Amino acid sequence: MSLKIIERKVLSGERLTEEDAILLFKSDDLLTIGELAHYVSRKKNSDYVYFVVNRHINPSNICINRCRFCAFSKDKGDSGAYTLTIDEILERTREAMALGATEIHIVGGLHPELPYEFYIEMLRVIKREFPAVHLQAFTAVEIDYFSRISGKSIGDVLLELKEAGLGSLPGGGAEIFEKRIRERICPEKITGERWLEIMRTAHRLGIRSNATMLYGHLEDYESRVHHLSLLRALQDETGGFQAFIPLAFHPKNTRINGANYTTAIDDLKTIAVSRLFLDNFPHIKSFWIMLGKKIAQLSLLFGSDDLDGTVVEEKITHSAGAMTDEFLPKGELIRLIRKAGKIPVERDTLYRIIRIYDGADDHQPENNKK
């Protein structure tokens, strides 16, 4: 089957099949795939490209799991192992708020000694001082761990976290859902089915989330498409996913033998195919930390409509050999988006528009004006 048939489907708004997605991944016609993805992206979001002023905080790298793809986790007593106190987390939050952040993004290891109450108190302390900040915190893997150490159900944990200040969930921990690959790269981690169950529960409780896929390690195109298909099915069911974020694998300091960094072509194709296949996801995000600024910028012509944010401090990917900065100023994000011929839009975590940067007429949307 040629890309012409897929092109007709895309232009007519027909949903692509898993076979279509596999064909796209195997095709060498990157420019046609990118053009189709760009068409879909513009249809959904016009020429807007979103970003958020945020800061990442990783409370601890001490973790009971030893995922083979992860270079971040440590055992207590290892060189470089650390655990932040709530006061230290609050101080980092103060620094971010002084720079205009609207989001604090919190994920970390599964610490063997910190009690469940630590995480509840952390959220409460931050929200007490900064009630307007949005806390996007805790992967589905962490939520599962909180359930185990507290003896509470997933639903009860999520409700308690929400009451303490949780605003939304990030999409981490999904990796690759296919069992045979997951057992090779992260056998101790929750299953793909459990990840989906936790997200389903969160969405039913009114907690929005993102979704991710880690690619470029031991998976093949079929396992990527299987992963995307399960995400699309859950989104059909709940509508709770905001953005999909393909995460390019970084091999340094990991235990994935023979793996290498992804290529620019694979990065762009993965973003484009994701945009075409995930027709029910509002946004496709290019995480510049993993892709680098130039590929992330180019991806805006291959189906992506979001560059994430300022980040400020990122430890997980940099432990695995990320060669990017940990901080990208708002002005640089705006410049990259404009140079791609797009309109920069500052958003909050829930994609409510804060300011549109469209040249001399930079403005707030009408419903944001005071």
Side-chain angles (χ1 to χ4, degrees):
M1 183 172 62
S2 73
L3 290 188
K4 286 293 183 185
I5 296 174
I6 294 178
E7 181 177 1
R8 286 198 292 271
K9 285 186 175 183
V10 171
L11 296 179
S12 66
E14 183 179 344
R15 172 165 277 191
L16 299 187
T17 65
E18 292 186 26
E19 292 74 20
D20 293 334
I22 291 169
L23 188 148
L24 288 168
F25 270 121
K26 292 181 176 180
S27 171
D28 293 326
D29 193 350
L30 179 64
L31 295 182
T32 295
I33 297 168
E35 185 178 16
L36 291 173
H38 189 218
Y39 165 81
V40 172
S41 180
R42 292 192 70 210
K43 199 172 175 184
K44 285 184 176 289
N45 294 293
S46 186
D47 280 320
Y48 283 179
V49 170
Y50 298 89
F51 69 91
V52 63
V53 180
N54 65 347
R55 176 168 184 161
H56 285 212
I57 299 176
N58 307 123
S60 179
N61 62 352
I62 298 173
C63 187
I64 62 171
N65 284 352
R66 274 294 173 273
C67 299
R68 296 178 62 84
F69 69 86
C70 180
F72 175 70
S73 65
K74 301 283 186 181
D75 286 323
K76 187 177 180 180
D78 285 352
S79 175
Y82 75 90
T83 301
L84 301 178
T85 66
I86 289 178
D87 283 343
E88 288 171 326
I89 293 167
L90 185 58
E91 182 55 35
R92 283 165 167 75
T93 303
R94 290 190 186 110
E95 293 169 0
M97 299 305 286
L99 294 173
T102 60
E103 171 191 290
I104 302 296
H105 182 283
I106 304 172
V107 299
L110 309 183
H111 198 289
E113 297 175 4
L114 290 177
Y116 169 62
E117 291 72 23
F118 172 89
Y119 304 97
I120 296 289
E121 182 64 13
M122 176 177 66
L123 298 184
R124 284 180 176 153
V125 166
I126 294 172
K127 289 294 281 189
R128 191 178 303 136
E129 185 164 341
F130 301 105
V133 73
H134 185 101
L135 299 179
Q136 183 170 91
F138 311 131
T139 66
V141 179
E142 291 170 275
I143 299 298
D144 175 80
Y145 185 61
F146 298 162
S147 174
R148 284 190 278 145
I149 63 176
S150 69
K152 299 175 185 288
S153 69
I154 292 297
D156 286 345
V157 166
L158 286 167
L159 285 172
E160 290 183 2
L161 291 169
K162 186 178 181 181
E163 186 276 331
L166 178 70
S168 62
L169 297 180
E175 322 314 353
I176 282 287
F177 292 143
E178 189 173 353
K179 186 176 180 181
R180 67 184 177 87
I181 304 297
R182 199 173 187 87
E183 287 180 346
R184 293 176 66 189
I185 66 171
C186 53
E188 298 171 334
K189 185 164 280 187
I190 62 173
T191 64
E193 291 84 357
R194 180 66 164 169
W195 188 97
L196 291 163
E197 176 192 345
I198 291 168
M199 289 301 183
R200 178 181 291 109
T201 304
H203 296 169
R204 287 177 175 170
L205 294 174
I207 301 171
R208 306 297 297 277
S209 75
N210 293 327
T212 61
M213 176 180 72
L214 184 70
Y215 69 94
H217 41 90
L218 302 179
E219 90 291 353
D220 53 24
Y221 290 146
E222 285 76 10
S223 52
R224 290 189 198 181
V225 173
H226 172 258
H227 187 102
L228 295 174
S229 185
L230 290 174
L231 290 177
R232 189 171 74 176
L234 183 56
Q235 182 73 335
D236 278 344
E237 180 185 335
T238 69
F241 289 120
Q242 299 192 118
F244 174 69
I245 314 159
L247 300 175
F249 176 66
H250 284 58
K252 188 176 179 181
N253 301 320
T254 70
R255 293 179 292 144
I256 305 293
N257 295 329
N260 210 327
Y261 288 94
T262 59
T263 67
I265 288 175
D266 197 19
D267 292 335
L268 293 172
K269 187 185 291 184
T270 302
I271 288 165
V273 175
S274 299
R275 177 64 287 166
L276 291 168
F277 189 78
L278 295 176
D279 52 16
N280 53 6
F281 273 66
H283 305 285
I284 302 293
K285 183 185 295 188
S286 295
F287 192 32
W288 62 265
I289 286 282
M290 287 186 158
L291 296 173
K293 292 189 294 185
K294 292 183 178 180
I295 296 300
Q297 181 191 37
L298 187 57
S299 75
L300 302 180
L301 305 178
F302 282 77
S304 172
D305 64 281
D306 192 299
L307 288 184
D308 193 75
T310 50
V311 179
V312 178
E313 181 183 25
E314 195 282 336
K315 301 299 182 190
I316 296 174
T317 310
H318 282 82
S319 298
M323 293 173 280
T324 54
D325 296 330
E326 291 187 54
F327 171 58
L328 202 57
K330 181 166 79 170
E332 178 66 2
L333 285 164
I334 291 170
R335 187 185 75 87
L336 289 172
I337 294 166
R338 281 179 169 161
K339 288 293 185 180
K342 299 291 186 176
I343 299 170
V345 179
E346 184 178 351
R347 61 169 175 85
D348 68 8
T349 311
L350 300 177
Y351 284 87
R352 293 175 297 214
I353 294 173
I354 295 173
R355 183 170 290 273
I356 301 169
Y357 295 87
D358 51 357
D361 298 321
D362 291 351
H363 62 279
Q364 295 174 310
E366 288 298 324
N367 58 358
N368 277 18
K369 290 182 180 177
K370 302 189 176 165

